[in-house]
Amino acid sequence: MNWYEKLNEYFPIEEMKSKEHMELLLKDKAEMYHKDESPDHVLMYVETKDFIFVDYIYVAAKTRGKGTGHKLMEKLKAKGKPIILEVEPINYDDTDTEKRLHFYKREGFEHAVSIGYKRRSLATNEVNEMEILYWSPTNESEESIMEKVKKTYEEIHTYKDVELYGKSYLDVDEVLTIEADKTDNILEFETEKSPT
């Protein structure tokens, strides 16, 4: 399987960019959009002068639990910039969602509780709600994280959307929202146990 097939098999269709979109980003935005791959992993990420956005991270099933994901995160953390990513909320019918959240919690990521992110998938036309997680070496504010997510949405997620998909994604202000009162009352980032 090539790198795109691995990602496409692992991530839900509503979260996937087309292969053409990703290849165009790697070519047209080579200064900021990167692919790091081996037989055991695929990492697609955005790097600017002041942040990193993890677009996709895939670790082969045979190597999960052996530190591959941790090593990839350590490599990114060594750059000394905030790291941001989107994750699906916990879905008790999909145990991978809970495992992913546990992994990021262990890696020191915080849940941006004030940021709301709802995007309509051009593939399924369904509204897809995601949670924003971040790791910051400098106690970055959620307002600052929000601006970085907006930049990623506008420059990466929606890049040439009409040309690639025949229609455009929603405007950034319809997709991303911030609730100021929640930034004063940050909840501890934790996952709940599945009801029995």
Side-chain angles (χ1 to χ4, degrees):
M1 269 195 295
N2 69 31
W3 63 271
Y4 187 80
E5 290 167 335
K6 290 174 184 175
L7 294 176
N8 202 38
E9 190 175 89
Y10 185 67
F11 288 94
I13 186 171
E14 61 271 13
E15 290 180 35
M16 283 300 294
K17 292 175 177 64
S18 70
K19 187 176 186 192
E20 186 183 7
H21 186 171
M22 294 168 82
E23 287 175 338
L24 203 56
L25 288 168
L26 289 166
K27 181 167 89 57
D28 293 357
K29 303 250 182 184
E31 75 288 350
M32 66 187 299
Y33 197 75
H34 308 282
K35 175 176 62 170
D36 177 333
E37 69 173 315
S38 77
D40 296 329
H41 81 277
V42 179
L43 171 64
M44 308 297 292
Y45 67 99
V46 176
E47 183 175 4
T48 72
K49 64 180 175 50
D50 57 354
F51 73 94
I52 292 167
F53 184 94
V54 175
D55 203 12
Y56 300 97
I57 182 169
Y58 160 86
V59 175
K62 65 182 168 99
T63 58
R64 282 185 208 142
K66 296 183 180 175
T68 305
H70 173 71
K71 286 177 191 159
L72 291 171
M73 287 298 117
E74 287 299 303
K75 189 173 168 182
L76 294 180
K77 287 176 183 177
K79 296 172 182 278
K81 303 173 186 181
I83 303 169
I84 307 164
L85 50 89
E86 307 160 3
V87 293
E88 297 167 88
I90 287 183
N91 173 350
Y92 293 113
D93 294 329
D94 177 1
T95 57
D96 276 351
T97 59
E98 193 167 4
K99 287 176 188 169
R100 278 192 287 270
L101 283 169
H102 279 300
F103 167 75
Y104 290 119
K105 183 178 181 183
R106 278 196 317 272
E107 291 297 321
F109 280 74
E110 295 180 53
H111 183 182
V113 295
S114 67
I115 301 174
Y117 187 9
K118 291 182 182 178
R119 178 173 79 176
R120 183 173 301 283
S121 165
L122 295 184
T124 65
N125 211 34
E126 300 282 319
V127 173
N128 191 26
E129 189 165 354
M130 301 292 277
E131 294 181 5
I132 303 296
L133 303 183
Y134 67 98
W135 173 88
S136 174
T138 56
N139 295 319
E140 199 91 2
S141 71
E142 290 197 6
E143 288 86 352
S144 174
I145 296 296
M146 171 79 158
E147 289 310 308
K148 292 167 174 54
V149 177
K150 275 186 170 186
K151 179 181 172 81
T152 303
Y153 182 79
E154 292 177 317
E155 292 195 31
I156 301 296
H157 293 348
T158 63
Y159 184 64
K160 295 195 175 182
D161 51 1
V162 175
E163 180 183 315
L164 291 162
Y165 302 103
K167 47 191 168 182
S168 62
Y169 279 107
L170 294 172
D171 183 75
V172 69
D173 292 324
E174 294 178 75
V175 172
L176 283 155
T177 55
I178 192 158
E179 294 182 49
D181 58 330
K182 282 192 177 178
T183 58
D184 298 330
N185 183 26
I186 301 297
L187 302 173
E188 184 181 340
F189 172 41
E190 64 180 26
T191 56
E192 298 175 7
K193 297 260 186 247
S194 175
T196 53

